[in-house]
Every structure is written in structure tokens, then in C-alpha cells.
Amino acid sequence: MAKETANKKATGHWSMGLLASMDDPELRVEADDKLVIIKDKYPKAKYHFLVLPREKIPSLKSLTAQHLELLQYIHKKGEEIADRANKELRFRFGYHAVPSMSHLHMHVISQDFDSPCLKTKKHWNSFTTQYFVDSSEIIRQLEKKGKVEVGGPDANELLKQDLRCHVCKKKFANMPGLKSHIVFHNVTKSKNK
DNA sequence: GTTCTAGAAC
DNA sequence: GTTCTAGAAC
């Protein structure tokens, strides 16, 4: 209680924040009996949603073949929300190899990466290197092996990689340089690149 | 995950 | 002198 103001409810450690966000009407976009979709509190692109199962699944490591149907449903609902948000922009659907926040969540993020909340190399590399694992890849692994194996001890090194444009692979020395470059790319689905 | 900020990089 | 990154936060 010492550090919490009297009118704010303590929600525990910051890594548990997603559970509170799931119930936040400001962030919630959609919900049914199996999952909740919220807007990312600090969106890293024009459109950035999180799809969270209601079932308490701590991480990718907890997944078994029994979760296949749920993961396919999460993916489907993610595609729907992306389509509803913007039909032109390209989106990716996937999971961070080693997420900071507890509770399994699939990112639905438009590939413009045009957002003031996108600030650091870690942000960038977490969405544009192999640290970002496509949902389809997760589902494939689960179908094939009955479990998911991503990340590993070298996962953190991925976040330290040099900054590269995700479209043309051009290298940049710092974030402001990269950010002013990527706004010139069209990240639409099918139109001329 | 973010905020803050010291000191590196420019 | 200003911009930018990177590490601590109990």
C-alpha cells in the first residue's frame, strides 16, 4: 500500500498487467467465452491488438496438442480483427519467443510500425527478427511435435541485432533514422511495393 | 512491459 | 551542447 495511491487498485507485479488489461473497458475490443481481444496499451504500429485466451496459459512452453483448436481459433479471430481494422495494410500474427508479460498472448500488428510508442532497439527487434514467431509456425510445431520449441538461450541476442528495415533490409545506426525511413514504405497486402 | 536518466556517441 | 541508448527499478 505504501507506493499505491489510495484510489488505485494494486494489481501486483507489472508482468501480471495483461490480466488487468483484459478487464479494462478502455482497451477491450471483443470478448467471447474462449478469448478476449484488447488494444495493446502501448501500440507499436497503427494497429496493434493482443488476443488472449481466457484459459490460464502462462507461456508457449505450456502448450500441448490439446490446445491446437484454441490456437487456431485465436489465429482466426486475430485475422478477423485485423480485417475489421484495416483491409489494406499487411499484418502479422504471432508470439514473442520470450515475452515480458505473463499470460499467453498473440500479437496482431500492422506492418507500418508507425507509432510514437515504438522507441527502442528491443521493441524493433522483438517484432522484426525471429524473436517474433508467426502463429502459423506455432500451430505447425504443435501439430508436428505436440509442443512448441522457440527462443532458447540465444533469444536475447536477437534483440541486440543491428537495426534493419523490415522491408528493404537497409541498415540503420539508430532508431530515429530507422523510423524516418520506414514511413516511406508501402506495407499494403497486394498492391505494388 | 515502462519510466527515468547517466553518460556515451555524435 | 544535444541526441540517443541502455541499465536500474526493492
Side-chain angles (χ1 to χ4, degrees):
Chain A
M1 199 55 201
K3 294 184 114 181
E4 296 290 336
T5 53
N7 59 342
K8 269 191 179 173
K9 188 171 57 177
T11 50
H13 192 255
W14 58 263
S15 64
M16 295 293 135
L18 284 181
L19 287 98
S21 294
M22 283 172 81
D23 293 325
D24 186 343
E26 290 288 311
L27 298 176
R28 190 182 281 205
V29 187
E30 192 182 326
D32 62 22
D33 58 325
K34 294 208 166 41
L35 56 75
V36 175
I37 305 179
I38 61 173
K39 288 183 280 191
D40 192 294
K41 202 169 179 179
Y42 299 90
K44 305 302 186 293
K46 280 178 181 156
Y47 303 98
H48 186 183
F49 304 98
L50 302 178
V51 186
L52 306 107
R54 286 193 187 273
E55 185 183 338
K56 209 161 191 173
I57 303 171
S59 74
L60 293 169
K61 291 194 188 73
S62 325
L63 292 173
T64 70
Q66 295 180 324
H67 295 109
L68 258 174
E69 219 173 299
L70 177 61
L71 284 189
Q72 280 159 350
Y73 184 61
I74 288 171
H75 189 110
K76 192 190 101 171
K77 295 299 278 187
E79 287 181 330
E80 281 178 17
I81 204 75
D83 208 43
R84 205 182 310 159
N86 189 307
K87 288 184 171 56
E88 303 298 318
L89 282 173
R90 192 162 65 84
F91 278 78
R92 281 186 77 188
F93 311 88
Y95 300 80
H96 281 155
V98 187
S100 299
M101 306 288 265
S102 182
H103 199 109
L104 190 75
H105 53 285
M106 185 185 77
H107 291 270
V108 174
I109 184 164
S110 58
Q111 295 297 294
D112 50 88
F113 293 111
D114 180 6
S115 166
C117 298
L118 180 73
K119 294 173 179 174
T120 69
K121 175 184 267 192
K122 183 174 174 176
H123 289 155
W124 182 254
N125 283 337
S126 75
F127 286 102
T128 60
T129 69
Q130 293 173 67
Y131 195 90
F132 188 89
V133 188
D134 286 316
S135 167
S136 55
E137 163 69 12
I138 297 294
I139 289 169
R140 214 180 44 180
Q141 281 197 28
L142 214 48
E143 281 172 336
K144 196 169 148 191
K145 305 185 292 192
K147 60 182 173 182
V148 176
E149 286 169 322
V150 294
D154 42 291
N156 273 356
E157 292 306 307
L158 293 168
L159 298 176
K160 294 174 186 169
Q161 282 179 183
D162 292 334
L163 296 171
R164 275 181 193 283
C165 172
H166 63 313
V167 177
C168 70
K169 311 302 175 195
K170 188 176 191 302
K171 216 163 153 178
F172 288 87
N174 55 43
M175 284 302 291
L178 173 67
K179 290 194 67 164
S180 55
H181 164 83
I182 58 178
V183 296
F184 292 109
H185 280 301
N186 280 336
V187 288
T188 49
K189 280 171 185 165
S190 52
K191 309 272 163 60
N192 330 326
K193 289 269 163 61

